[in-house]
Amino acid sequence: AFAAAALLRRWTKGKVLFASGSPFDPITDAGVVHYPAQANNAYIFPAVGYAAILAKSKEITDEMFVLASEELSAMTDMEELEQGRLFPPFQSIRAISKVLTARVAEKMVAAGLGTTPEGCNDWESFVASNMWNADAL
């Protein structure tokens, strides 16, 4: 069922942890602006998939998704959480993806599921240098 962020906030007296697949406008409650989180496949799945490609992983385990989720959750600070943001700002998606992809690729190699590519001395740098960049066209 679909529920509006403002309504859920009111029903729970502001205690709701809300994320939707669709964007919502900010909500002002008692003079404080809250930003309903948009949760979709933009953060975790691309990072895990790209890590598997770069590391040539034989398998993607549940542990890889847990690791990516934990890494993502650590990127949101207390101020953002107080504003209702469960994830870092989407404007930072490239930097976020770089870190998530690097951590998952490292884990895949450490677990014996993949290999470190030739020329990769630092996963974050390697991921960044292999990301598609429209500005390079």
Side-chain angles (χ1 to χ4, degrees), residues 73-84:
S73 72
M75 294 178 180
T76 306
D77 63 33
M78 189 52 70
E79 182 180 341
E80 291 167 327
L81 289 170
E82 288 170 356
Q83 295 172 348

Side-chain angles (χ1 to χ4, degrees), residues 61-124:
T61 65
D62 290 345
E63 190 176 6
M64 304 309 156
F65 289 101
V66 171
L67 172 63
S69 299
E70 289 172 348
E71 290 286 330
L72 178 62
S73 72
M75 294 178 180
T76 306
D77 63 33
M78 189 52 70
E79 182 180 341
E80 291 167 327
L81 289 170
E82 288 170 356
Q83 295 172 348
R85 298 179 190 263
L86 299 180
F87 310 109
F90 192 76
Q91 295 85 340
S92 303
I93 190 67
R94 290 182 65 83
I96 294 163
S97 294
K98 176 185 72 172
V99 172
L100 296 181
T101 301
R103 294 295 90 70
V104 173
E106 289 167 352
K107 182 74 169 180
M108 288 172 166
V109 172
L113 299 172
T115 58
T116 302
E118 186 176 322
C120 175
N121 299 315
D122 171 65
W123 273 105
E124 283 190 36

